[in-house]
C-alpha cells in the first residue's frame, strides 16, 4: 500500500512537471510570435493576442491607432524576447484559467522626427518603470536600451489552450489588473 502511494505521488510530480514544461514552451512560442509581430508592426496580430476584455477599456480600433501613431510620431521600438524566468501554477476561476509569466527581454527605443527632442522626457519615465540601472541612453543614436524584467498574465477558456495576454507591469497597466479577479491575483503572486 505504501508503494502505491509513493508511485501515485511520484507520477503526479512527473505529470505536473511535464505539464509545466509544455506550458512554458507554449508561452515562449507565443511571446516570440508577439514580439516578432510587434517588431514588424503587424498590429492586428499584436492585438489578437491581447485579452479581449481589454478592449472595453480602450477599443481595438483606438489601440491600433495608438500603436500606429507611436511609430509615426518618431518612437521606433523593438523588443527582443530572451527567456521566461518563471511561470506560476495555473489558477482556474469561473470559466477561465490564468497563469502569471515572468520574463526577460531587451527593449530598444529610438527617437526620431517629432520625438527626436523627447529623450529628457522619456528617460525618467523609463527609469521609473524599469529601474534606473536597467535603462541606458545612447546620445549618439538618440536611443535607449532597456533590460526589461516583466510580468504578464495569460488567460484562456478552461477548455482551450488559446491563451490571451495582459501586461500587468507598467504604470499604465494598473487599470488592467481590474480584469483579473482579486482571488486569482492573490493566487498568482
Amino acid at each position: 500500500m505504501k508503494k502505491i502511494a509513493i508511485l501515485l505521488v511520484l507520477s503526479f510530480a512527473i505529470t505536473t512537471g511535464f505539464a509545466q514544461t509544455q506550458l512554458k514552451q507554449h508561452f515562449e512560442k507565443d511571446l516570440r510570435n508577439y514580439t516578432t509581430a510587434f517588431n514588424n508592426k503587424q498590429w492586428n496580430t499584436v492585438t489578437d493576442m491581447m485579452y479581449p476584455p481589454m478592449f472595453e477599456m480602450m477599443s481595438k480600433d483606438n489601440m491600433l491607432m495608438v500603436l500606429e501613431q507611436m511609430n509615426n510620431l518618431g518612437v521606433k521600438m523593438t523588443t527582443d524576447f530572451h527567456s521566461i524566468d518563471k511561470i506560476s501554477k495555473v489558477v482556474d476561476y469561473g470559466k477561465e484559467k490564468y497563469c502569471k509569466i515572468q520574463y526577460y527581454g531587451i527593449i530598444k527605443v529610438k527617437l526620431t522626427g517629432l520625438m527626436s527632442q523627447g529623450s529628457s522626457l522619456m528617460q525618467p519615465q523609463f527609469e521609473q518603470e524599469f529601474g534606473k540601472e536597467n535603462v541606458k541612453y545612447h546620445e549618439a543614436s538618440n536611443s535607449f536600451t532597456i533590460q526589461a524584467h516583466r510580468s504578464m498574465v495569460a488567460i484562456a477558456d478552461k477548455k482551450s489552450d488559446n491563451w490571451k495576454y495582459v501586461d500587468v507591469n507598467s504604470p499604465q497597466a494598473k487599470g488592467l489588473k481590474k480584469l483579473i479577479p482579486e482571488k486569482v491575483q492573490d493566487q498568482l503572486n
Side-chain angles (χ1 to χ4, degrees):
M1 188 66 153
K2 201 175 197 181
K3 288 181 183 178
I4 291 173
I6 291 171
L7 282 174
L8 285 173
V9 168
L10 201 58
S11 73
F12 177 74
I14 291 169
T15 303
T16 302
F18 180 70
Q20 282 288 97
T21 300
Q22 280 190 310
L23 194 55
K24 183 177 179 184
Q25 289 172 347
H26 183 96
F27 291 150
E28 285 173 342
K29 181 181 172 203
D30 276 1
L31 285 173
R32 287 189 200 293
N33 289 340
Y34 179 87
T35 55
T36 298
F38 188 92
N39 294 342
N40 292 325
K41 297 167 188 54
Q42 297 169 331
W43 304 129
N44 283 315
T45 301
V46 169
T47 56
D48 286 347
M49 295 182 79
M50 294 178 177
Y51 184 50
M54 288 174 54
F55 302 118
E56 294 169 12
M57 301 173 94
M58 175 189 278
S59 75
K60 189 172 184 175
D61 288 340
N62 283 346
M63 177 71 73
L64 289 166
M65 187 175 66
V66 167
L67 290 168
E68 288 169 7
Q69 283 182 345
M70 181 176 66
N71 190 58
N72 294 339
L73 291 173
V75 179
K76 312 289 186 204
M77 188 182 310
T78 60
T79 301
D80 185 12
F81 166 72
H82 278 258
S83 62
I84 289 180
D85 299 323
K86 181 181 174 186
I87 60 173
S88 72
K89 66 179 181 175
V90 175
V91 176
D92 288 341
Y93 187 83
K95 294 180 180 180
E96 295 176 313
K97 55 187 175 183
Y98 301 79
C99 186
K100 187 173 186 178
I101 305 164
Q102 295 175 339
Y103 65 99
Y104 168 70
I106 296 175
I107 300 170
K108 293 182 180 180
V109 180
K110 182 169 177 53
L111 302 177
T112 63
L114 293 173
M115 291 300 295
S116 62
Q117 302 300 311
S119 62
S120 60
L121 298 172
M122 301 292 282
Q123 188 162 358
Q125 290 178 355
F126 290 150
E127 289 175 352
Q128 181 183 3
E129 186 172 339
F130 299 100
K132 190 172 187 170
E133 68 282 2
N134 294 315
V135 177
K136 301 288 181 254
Y137 176 65
H138 312 285
E139 190 172 350
S141 60
N142 198 27
S143 64
F144 294 91
T145 301
I146 302 165
Q147 307 289 321
H149 296 274
R150 310 288 287 168
S151 296
M152 62 174 37
V153 175
I155 305 157
D157 185 87
K158 278 185 183 177
K159 298 173 184 166
S160 169
D161 284 328
N162 183 19
W163 294 90
K164 302 296 181 178
Y165 299 90
V166 176
D167 178 345
V168 293
N169 270 64
S170 68
Q172 301 86 351
K174 287 186 179 178
L176 297 177
K177 283 189 175 181
K178 294 176 186 173
L179 299 173
I180 302 161
E182 243 179 85
K183 289 180 180 183
V184 172
Q185 288 182 47
D186 293 342
Q187 292 180 59
L188 293 176
N189 292 328

